[in-house]
């Protein structure tokens, strides 16, 4: 360790020196014989080629073409000008006696020459043997989006992204099917080479490209953390000689597009009358309140501004940006304000042999949440429309006589829940060009996230009955309700917490690039050291305040000691932890005649989180590719302009869900016990220790074919994969007599995912004025649990996902079972209603229940489809006409089932006189006490097609002085959705162990209309 | 040459770098690990705390459900769709439970977990503590607690695996009930010499010598059921050990005047009648003692100050309101009641124990009626008049259970005020008027009480055991009755009289299933169509969840 720091100190010292030495370089006089050369660069299709780099060969002099394709550079006769651009074939032109040049560049086969970020280096797409998808910023989803998952939704085959309607919840991202039942997690993010960086620090406008590493040959270089794929984000850089200032901004208007179809006062009154029932006069104040509307904003406005500056001199480049977003949530009170500032400087030294880079990003957010949001949503869904929001004396209306029944507006407006968080990422990179084609990199990075949280519940909460103020769990996960009433104390209660997480990373690697004759070798060896410290900080609470005015701002004025049973909330044990990850890795790429490509890599990963017997794991990978189009026998054919066959196999690891202490025996407070007259803390083991805890491993075989036909008008990529996870990490159930608590983290079962992915890009029309490009991607995945054998027991046939519907405790929805996928539904089989309108079900023996006799939970259950989609489709179209462009993005999910537990719970007709129900339950009788039982009746087809985004833009390219480009656009998100699904939205979380459950899902779906402008100077 | 040196230098420094930084272990600085804990006597004590927390965790819920709600002592009917919960309570009442019943599974898990925790703590203290008297006592206390868990588990499930060594992860099959019996007996006998003999705060909630003797007495009294061999003389000897404690003065019956207070939230170590009890504390996060939540009528929260309920300035009718002018109306769930056949045992008007029941018309403390205001339909779901939402006020009247008005075979009482007011309620463990913020109660719950010792000895003599110390069945029972009723002492006694005396004395204390089985009444018909008479149901099945984690378990006969 010490050595690296010394090295970096040395490097920094050098850096300071260079700052003093540099100015003379900039004012270097023109060498004799040089003169100013001017010209215009055009694209072969016509029109100016903007942003093409013009370099005088074998000098450091370079510039870039401006808005008209014009450039100006000093050179002398005999010099060679090199014209290079991202989407053009590089061209060299010798300087003659002429002073004015017009250069036409041909567009390159864009995809093939793309540079792909592969982890500890870059590669050109044509020489890849692994499966990597690159998404350019122009292809990212548009909208008032502050989450990277949503930016990528539908863009990459095999990446199954489900976004929640709730803007404060990140999207669930699953790559190529859940590879583990242990929190099938999100991919690993690497931002500008900083592994594990927080994706919330990146403003979407600052993204230069996103590379999604999918197969093991690509990801294994990130070893243990790559089990769920790797997403590499590269931010924008400055370019030499090209000073650019740009502004991007938008205003978004969000409105509710779909919400629950609950009964209004008239409908519910008619329903009760038809069922010989009536409201209680305590509730019935002849109002007609739409409670969902009451907790929503009619319009939520968001606006985003991004100013970026970039440029570069001969020996340095810089890029800086500042981004501000202010986003209102659709629910009242909720919102997010965030400022992100970013600075990136690269500078060369020692005759350009050394390149230093400094990246600093700071993201500062202020998030305002709906206090007790889940309770508020549930109460808004259940509250009777005949009750008013407020009494005539303008106090909030409440009828606490009905159990678990509270005014949602009173809950929101008498509490606050805010978090300020700040993430700082600093990175310092050094790249040293050594002789013999060697390059040495040292990257140091530091990431710190701090949070400052405050919650306040005013004295109004004192009126809520503490014995039935239940927490409402998050949608989709089905954890049991918890009683939160007794946390509130009396006369207002406040909670504050502040925590910080830090990650320090040191990575160094040596690269050797060598080309001799037909052989090209690229070899990397390296070392990585990561130390994470999390949960450093504290939490505290107080209650019994003299007034509600202070909120959570002054805990000192409370008197918690005045409330006999109140306990100051210091948070939970095991919050703080430190982990270390040390890895050595190597990769060798060999390329013969650009025709046969071979790649091999290995990474040895050590982690402090594992059992002392298994700290290290090895993750090897190989990749082979054959560029068939380069073969002699292909010379004559004109069909294929590109044809490549790829094969790869590799192993990656997973340690998600494993914390610093998971494998260790740790004692914690298990409660208090009576000891000699007082209640004392009892300390007991919090978990079973497992010194054999080790990496979960996923081995992936991938076969891929890339081809391009019709002179590049149609290109396609097909990948087929087989993914086997073994030594699956899981919190296995064991006999509590052997391990107190009955659960232990251990390695056990296995899971298989097989799938096929297809990506097609075509340009059906390309005339001078009009072009149409279309990209379709499709993915199919088949997930099967192949074993659930735990350490000393079998986890097979465990029922889970228990939404705790009324009278339905333990009525689980899903089953973990070998031979079935994760998310297998296992529930009652609905048999329709009998003559008196009572819902009936099939029993296990095939007979039917009768009357009000209820079927057995667990015993009368049947398999009933699963939550995993058969096909995911994304279809993107770009149409350009003159200065207009139109982008239409359509997304589809097919063949999945959704358990609509929300509909079941809101069809609880027996309580309809006290709780609102859905319009769809109108045909169920109040006497039907079994109508809301979770059963096949509430399993629905989850397929849908959504017009996700349509953006129309107009580009002003010429004509305004000093302005190189103006783009104005209007964009609509979620224009329409075609589905048979009866819930708010068929996009139900696919992540986690319990996918596809629509439960407590009351958050309204929204539609956003956006107006934006991009200006470059 | 220079170049080569340069490169060699670079590669050398890189390899030094790689070799130098492979220290993977991170020191634990924020948690208690075996390196630092437990080391002192106080720490050994706090390390054994989890066992007591385990016992407390589900004794008043799951364990009560299994021991009481399977008998005529109590039942939890359904109210339309409310409290169906997968038929768990219906199955318990009607003796139709399966191995999938959640309560049956919960009970096994509760006790197995207590055994596992005890094993672990015994292993920790055996390893870490230096030999001393306090270590011997500590280990003996833990072994006695483990014996208690095995006793409770053997009583419920019969044949259970003897997992007694922590760290041994090999799976054991069930040991036959007789073998489990012998194990408990030998563990208790081995522990008794090391257990403390004092009572009061220093040993309250912890096993003492006399708690071990009381448990032995219970084992021997039921030995015919557990092993097929009668052990009435052993039972009498164990009872005598308890009665002779502290020269015969350590334990005593609570007088009639304070009998009810024995179960109040203020009870505790000063009670001479408690031999072993669970000290519940309303402020502990995992003390799930909320009898009042289940047992109190929904309209009685205010009268009994349930969970912070206060009447404020309101008089009758108050139930319609919920807040304002100091009123706070926290309603208990209140679904549980007793059967008419069980309530019938309380037929002596002079018996103080009658006062643990709520039945018939209810009044405030000053004798004025408790009026409840609702709607016509809210009162009676079958209301057919012209004004379903019209106001209806009535005096709260807790009616006998009878059979459901929805049909002779129904377990559902309906979903109106009539339904919720059906059934006689028990308030022995009266609502905790001292706790205003949660439904947890401070009432400590006894497991072994002195009156039980007297009744056990009386029964053992009546069943053929040899009388000692001049005691007879009649003298022992009259000793107890003198502190409970002002009615004249009994002049003769039958075995059945002992049963009814036990019903009156031990109600709501988790012994009724044990008593019914011993007296052959577990197969009787009672309550809401409980007619099942399968004798194999005297023990519960091994739950599916237990077999899932231990494939070597063999299912009990009949299931």
């Amino acid at each position: 360790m010490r050595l690296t720091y010394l090295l970096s100190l040395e490097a920094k010292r050098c850096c300071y020196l260079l700052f003093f030495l540099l100015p003379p370089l900039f004012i270097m006089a023109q060498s004799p014989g040089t003169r100013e050369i001017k010209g215009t660069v055009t694209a072969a299709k016509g029109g100016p080629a903007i942003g093409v780099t013009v370099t005088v060969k074998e000098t450091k002099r370079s510039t870039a073409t401006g808005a008209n394709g014009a450039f100006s550079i000093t050179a002398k006769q005999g010099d060679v000008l090199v014209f290079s651009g991202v989407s053009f074939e590089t061209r060299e032109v010798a300087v003659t006696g002429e002073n004015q040049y017009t250069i036409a560049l041909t567009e390159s086969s864009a995809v093939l020459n793309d540079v792909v970020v592969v982890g500890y280096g870059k590669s050109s797409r044509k020489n890849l043997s692994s499966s990597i998808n690159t998404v350019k910023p122009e292809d990212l989803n548009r909208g008032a989006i502050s989450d990277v998952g949503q930016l990528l939704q539908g863009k990459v085959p095999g990446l199954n992204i489900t976004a929640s309607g709730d803007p404060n919840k990140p999207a669930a991202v699953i790559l190529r099917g859940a590879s583990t039942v242990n929190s099938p997690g999100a991919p690993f993010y690497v931002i500008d080479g900083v592994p594990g960086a927080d994706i919330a620090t990146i403003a979407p406008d600052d993204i230069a490209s996103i590379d999604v590493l999918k197969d093991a040959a690509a990801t294994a270089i990130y070893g243990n953390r790559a089990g769920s794929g790797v997403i590499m984000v590269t931010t924008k850089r400055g370019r030499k000689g090209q000073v650019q200032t740009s502004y991007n901004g938008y205003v978004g208007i969000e409105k509710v597009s779909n919400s629950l179809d609950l009964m209004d006062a008239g409908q519910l009154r008619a329903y009760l009358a038809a069922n010989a029932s009536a409201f209680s006069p305590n509730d019935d104040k002849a109002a007609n309140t739409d409670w969902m509307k009451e907790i929503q904003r009619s319009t939520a406005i968001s606006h985003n501004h991004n100013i970026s500056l970039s440029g570069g001199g001969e020996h340095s480049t810089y890029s800086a940006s500042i981004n501000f977003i202010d986003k209102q949530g659709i629910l009242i009170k909720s919102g997010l304000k965030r400022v992100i500032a970013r600075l990136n400087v690269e500078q060369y030294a020692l005759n350009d042999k050394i390149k230093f880079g400094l990246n600093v990003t700071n993201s500062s957010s202020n998030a305002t949440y709906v206090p007790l949001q889940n309770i508020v949503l549930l109460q808004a869904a259940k509250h009777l429309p005949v009750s008013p929001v407020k009494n005539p004396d303008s106090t909030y209306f409440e009828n606490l006589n009905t159990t678990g029944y509270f005014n949602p507006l009173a809950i929101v407006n008498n509490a606050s829940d805010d978090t300020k968080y700040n993430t700082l990422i600093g990175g310092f990179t050094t790249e040293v060009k050594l002789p013999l084609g060697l390059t040495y990199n040292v990257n140091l990075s530091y990431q710190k996230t701090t949070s400052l949280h405050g919650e306040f519940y005013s004295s109004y909460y004192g009126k809520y009955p503490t014995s039935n103020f239940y927490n409402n769990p998050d949608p989709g996960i089905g954890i049991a309700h918890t009683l939160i009433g007794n946390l509130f104390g009396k006369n207002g209660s406040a909670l504050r917490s502040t925590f910080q997480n830090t990650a320090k990373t040191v990575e160094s690697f040596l690269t050797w690039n060598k080309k001799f004759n037909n052989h090209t070798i690229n070899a990397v060896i390296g070392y990585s050291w990561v130390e994470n410290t999390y949960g450093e900080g504290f939490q505290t609470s107080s209650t019994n305040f003299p007034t509600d005015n202070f909120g959570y701002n002054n805990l000192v004025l409370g008197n918690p000691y005045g409330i006999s049973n109140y306990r100051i909330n210091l948070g939970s044990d095991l919050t703080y932890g430190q982990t270390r990850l040390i890895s050595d890795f190597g990769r060798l790429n060999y390329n013969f005649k650009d025709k046969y490509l071979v790649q091999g890599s290995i990474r040895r990963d050590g982690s402090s989180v594992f059992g002392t017997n298994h700290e290290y794991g090895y993750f090897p990978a190989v990749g082979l590719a054959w560029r068939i189009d380069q073969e002699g026998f292909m010379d004559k054919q004109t069909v294929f302009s590109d044809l490549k066959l790829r094969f790869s196999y590799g192993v990656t690891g997973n340690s998600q869900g494993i914390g610093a202490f998971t494998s260790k025996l740790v004692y914690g407070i298990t409660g208090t016990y009576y000891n000699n007259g007082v209640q004392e803390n009892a300390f007991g083991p919090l978990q079973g220790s497992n010194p054999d805890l080790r990496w979960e491993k996923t081995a992936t075989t991938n076969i891929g074919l890339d081809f391009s036909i019709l002179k590049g008008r149609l290109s396609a990529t097909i990948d087929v994969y087989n993914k086997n996870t073994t030594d699956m990490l899981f919190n296995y159930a064991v006999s509590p007599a052997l391990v107190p608590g009955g659960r232990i983290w251990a390695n056990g079962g296995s899971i298989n995912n097989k799938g096929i992915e297809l990506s097609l890009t075509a340009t059906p029309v390309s005339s001078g004025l009009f072009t149409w490009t279309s990209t379709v991607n499709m993915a199919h995945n088949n997930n099967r649990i192949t074993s659930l054998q735990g350490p000393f027991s079998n986890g097979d046939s465990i029922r889970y996902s228990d939404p705790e519907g009324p009278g339905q405790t333990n009525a689980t929805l899903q089953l973990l079972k070998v031979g079935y996928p994760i998310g297998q539904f296992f529930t009652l089989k609905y048999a329709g209603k009998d003559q008196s309108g009572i819902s009936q079900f099939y029993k296990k023996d095939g007979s039917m229940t009768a009357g009000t006799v209820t079927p057995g939970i667990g015993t009368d259950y049947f398999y009933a489809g699963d939550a995993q989609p058969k096909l995911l489709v994304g279809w993107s179209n770009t149409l350009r006409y003159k200065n207009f462009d139109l982008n239409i993005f359509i997304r589809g999910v097919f063949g999945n089932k959704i358990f609509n537990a929300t509909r079941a719970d809101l069809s609880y007709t027996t309580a309809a006189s006290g709780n609102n129900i859905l319009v769809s339950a109108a045909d169920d009788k109040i006497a039907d006490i079994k109508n809301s039982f979770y059963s096949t009746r509430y399993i629905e087809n989850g397929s849908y097609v959504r017009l996700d985004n349509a953006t129309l833009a107009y580009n002003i390219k010429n004509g305004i002085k000093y302005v190189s480009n103006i783009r104005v656009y209007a964009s609509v998100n979620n224009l329409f959705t075609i589905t048979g699904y009866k819930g708010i939205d068929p996009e139900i979380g696919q992540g986690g162990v319990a996918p596809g459950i629509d439960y407590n899902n009351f958050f309204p779906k929204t539609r956003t209309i956006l107006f934006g402008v991009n200006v470059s100077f | 040459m220079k170049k080569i040196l340069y490169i060699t230098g670079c590669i050398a420094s890189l390899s030094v770098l790689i070799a130098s930084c492979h220290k993977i272990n991170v020191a634990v600085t924020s948690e208690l690990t075996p390196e630092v804990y437990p080391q002192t006597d106080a720490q050994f004590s706090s390390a054994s705390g989890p066992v007591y927390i385990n016992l407390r965790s589900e004794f008043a819920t799951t364990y009560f459900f299994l021991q009481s709600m399977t008998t005529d002592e109590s039942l939890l009917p359904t109210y339309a769709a409310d409290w169906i919960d997968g038929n768990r309570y219906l199955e318990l009442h009607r003796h139709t439970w399966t191995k999938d019943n959640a309560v049956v599974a919960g009970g096994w898990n509760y006790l197995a977990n207590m055994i596992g925790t005890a094993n672990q703590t015994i292993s920790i203290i055996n390893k870490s503590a230096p030999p001393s008297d306090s270590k011997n006592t500590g280990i003996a206390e833990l072994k006695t607690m483990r014996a208690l868990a095995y006793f409770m588990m053997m009583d419920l499930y019969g044949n259970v695996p003897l997992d007694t060594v922590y760290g041994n992860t090999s799976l054991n099959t069930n040991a036959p009930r007789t073998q489990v019996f012998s194990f408990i007996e030998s563990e208790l006998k081995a522990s008794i010499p090391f257990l403390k003999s004092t009572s009061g705060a220093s040993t309250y909630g912890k096993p003492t010598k006399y708690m071990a003797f009381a448990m032995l007495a219970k084992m021997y009294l039921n030995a015919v059921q557990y092993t097929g061999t009668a052990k009435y003389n052993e039972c009498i000897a164990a009872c005598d050990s308890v009665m002779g404690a502290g020269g015969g003065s350590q334990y005593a019956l609570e007088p009639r005047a304070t009998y009810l207070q024995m179960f109040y939230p203020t009870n505790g170590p000063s009670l001479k009648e408690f031999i072993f009890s669970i000290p519940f504390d309303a402020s502990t996060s995992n003390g799930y003692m909320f009898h009042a939540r289940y047992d109190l009528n929904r309209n009685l929260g205010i009268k009994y100050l349930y969970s912070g309920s206060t009447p404020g300035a309101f008089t009758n009718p108050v139930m319609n309101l919920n807040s304002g002018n100091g009123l706070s109306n926290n309603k208990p769930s209140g679904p549980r009641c007793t059967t008419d056949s069980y309530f019938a045992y309380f037929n002596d008007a002079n018996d103080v124990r009658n006062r643990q029941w709520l039945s018939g018309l209810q009044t405030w403390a000053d004798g004025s009626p408790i009026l409840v205001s609702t709607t016509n339909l809210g009162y009676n779901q079958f209301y057919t008049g012209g004004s379903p939402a019209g106001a209806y006020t009535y005096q709260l009247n807790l009616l006998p259970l009878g059979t459901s008005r929805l049909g002779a075979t129904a377990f559902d009482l309906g979903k109106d005020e009539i339904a919720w007011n059906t059934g006689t309620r028990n308030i022995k463990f009266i609502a905790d008027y001292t706790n205003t913020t949660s439904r947890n109660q401070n009432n400590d719950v006894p497991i072994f009480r002195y009156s039980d010792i007297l009744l056990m000895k009386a029964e053992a003599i009546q069943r053929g055991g040899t009388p000692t110390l001049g005691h007879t069945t009649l003298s022992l029972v009259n000793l107890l009755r003198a502190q409970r009723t002002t009615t004249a002492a009994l002049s003769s006694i039958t075995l059945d009289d002992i049963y009814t005396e036990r019903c009156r004395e031990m109600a709501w204390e988790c012994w009724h299933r044990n008593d019914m089985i011993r007296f052959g009444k577990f197969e009787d018909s009672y309550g809401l169509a409980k007619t099942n008479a399968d004798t194999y149901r005297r023990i519960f099945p091994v739950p599916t969840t237990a077999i899932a984690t231990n494939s070597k378990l063999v299912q009990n006969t009949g299931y």
Side-chain angles (χ1 to χ4, degrees), chain A residues 209-232:
Chain A
S209 72
I210 295 181
D211 296 277
V212 181
L213 279 53
K214 296 199 296 192
D215 69 346
T219 58
I221 198 70
Y222 281 106
N224 61 73
R225 293 182 288 178
S228 303
V230 177
I231 294 183
M232 317 264 306

Side-chain angles (χ1 to χ4, degrees), chain A residues 605-638:
Chain A
D605 262 327
S607 171
S608 63
V609 302
F610 285 106
T612 45
N613 303 343
H614 298 275
E615 282 163 340
Y616 283 90
Y618 290 86
F619 303 98
V622 288
L624 307 168
W626 177 26
R627 295 187 65 199
I628 303 167
D629 60 302
Q630 301 289 312
E631 291 288 355
F633 60 78
M634 294 290 283
D635 283 351
K636 296 286 179 292
Q637 64 87 29
T638 52

Side-chain angles (χ1 to χ4, degrees), chain A residues 1 277 281-282 401 465-466 527 565 567 573 580 584 615 667 670 672-673 675 683 685 741 807 854 857 859, chain B residues 21-23 25 31-32 45-46 56 85-87 100 113 120 206 283-284 286 319-320 330 375 377 435 437:
Chain A
M1 263 327 300
S277 184
N282 292 343
N401 244 17
T466 54
Y527 162 82
N565 287 314
R567 292 289 179 270
D573 197 6
R580 198 174 290 156
D584 307 309
E615 282 163 340
Y667 298 89
T670 55
T672 58
Y673 76 111
N675 189 31
F683 294 94
T854 53
I857 285 180
T859 44
Chain B
C21 310
H22 282 85
K23 187 180 166 292
N25 291 320
E31 299 292 338
L32 294 172
S45 173
S46 64
R56 186 179 66 202
D85 292 344
N87 291 334
D100 288 309
N113 199 30
Q120 193 177 40
K206 292 189 179 168
S283 64
T284 55
N286 43 11
M319 297 314 148
N320 202 10
N330 291 333
T375 60
L377 194 71
N435 177 18
T437 53

Side-chain angles (χ1 to χ4, degrees), chain B residues 141-190:
Chain B
E141 285 175 351
L142 287 166
K143 286 190 168 177
T144 308
M145 290 300 285
R146 183 174 66 185
L148 176 65
Y150 268 114
F151 167 69
M152 291 157 77
M153 208 169 176
M154 172 203 67
D155 184 61
L156 291 171
Y157 302 94
N159 316 298
V160 297
L162 285 173
D163 301 311
T164 58
V165 182
Y166 177 70
N168 178 8
T169 53
S170 56
L171 301 168
N172 291 319
T173 186
N174 336 35
R177 206 177 197 183
T178 43
Q179 192 188 332
V180 182
F181 183 96
S182 309
F183 171 76
I184 301 167
E185 185 185 21
S186 67
E187 286 281 294
L188 289 176
K189 284 181 169 168

Side-chain angles (χ1 to χ4, degrees), chain A residues 385-399:
Chain A
V386 293
S387 299
V389 175
K390 290 195 171 174
N391 296 315
D393 65 359
S394 80
T395 55
Y396 284 107
F397 171 85
E398 297 275 8
N399 176 15

